[in-house]
Amino acid sequence: MLSAFETWTKWTDDGYGIDIVYLDCRKTYDSVSHPTLMEKLMNTNIDSAVVKWIAELPEGRRMRVKVRVELSDWILVLSGVPQGSVLGPLLFLIFINHLPQWIRDGMMLLFADDTKTYRKIMEVKDEVLFQQDLDSLVSWTRK
């Protein structure tokens, strides 16, 4: 945040505008696709035995809900990374690691599931380019 704030302050002091968008994807950790995550892991330099071990972690994971004394039936967990674990945040970061590549004209900062993208606005063209970056991010979320 301090890095972004320093940049924004300089731009403002120089008389420019700034467009900033904070991204907060709902239930981000819960929506990680297991097949997509495994594909991304296989495309890294992580040892194949480790990737195989990680791939087996979500297999057969089940959950249920408790309200007061009542328990729901167990259901299979088909997406997501475990929250509250050491490995969960790392897997999530691997999952979104390429996200900044979808931003061509603006800047992006990531911290866990908190993301901000921004651009210095000197003329109307800059606003159009920033909107194109945002449209690109929408495409990434759909993909």
Side-chain angles (χ1 to χ4, degrees):
M1 184 62 192
L2 289 175
S3 173
F5 187 71
E6 184 175 320
T7 300
W8 301 340
T9 301
K10 174 151 182 23
W11 290 349
T12 302
D13 289 346
D14 292 343
Y16 298 112
I18 308 165
D19 281 356
I20 306 166
V21 174
Y22 284 83
L23 305 171
D24 184 14
C25 298
R26 182 179 44 124
K27 300 187 181 210
T28 308
Y29 277 77
D30 296 333
S31 61
V32 171
S33 160
H34 293 161
T36 304
L37 176 61
M38 292 310 114
E39 181 181 323
K40 289 174 185 268
L41 285 169
M42 288 185 280
N43 291 328
T44 65
N45 290 328
I46 297 173
D47 183 86
S48 61
V50 174
V51 172
K52 184 178 184 229
W53 175 75
I54 292 172
E56 292 173 356
L57 287 176
E59 288 182 18
R61 278 186 54 219
R62 301 178 317 146
M63 65 179 234
R64 67 180 177 177
V65 177
K66 180 178 181 181
V67 178
R68 294 187 184 92
V69 295
E70 298 293 321
L71 291 170
S72 69
D73 294 332
W74 287 98
I75 60 167
L76 284 176
V77 176
L78 302 175
S79 66
V81 293
Q83 295 183 47
S85 69
V86 174
L87 193 56
L90 177 62
L91 293 175
F92 177 75
L93 289 175
I94 290 170
F95 185 75
I96 66 163
N97 190 44
H98 70 286
L99 182 58
Q101 296 169 7
W102 287 74
I103 299 295
R104 294 180 7 187
D105 296 298
M107 300 178 81
M108 177 176 273
L109 291 174
L110 302 167
F111 182 77
D113 62 341
D114 295 323
T115 305
K116 61 183 106 344
T117 185
Y118 54 95
R119 181 177 173 87
K120 176 171 39 173
I121 305 300
M122 298 180 286
E123 56 189 6
V124 173
K125 174 184 86 164
D126 296 321
E127 294 173 341
V128 172
L129 292 172
F130 189 61
Q131 182 60 55
Q132 289 172 355
D133 278 345
L134 296 176
D135 294 343
S136 180
L137 287 177
V138 169
S139 295
W140 177 82
T141 62
R142 290 184 176 135
K143 184 177 183 233

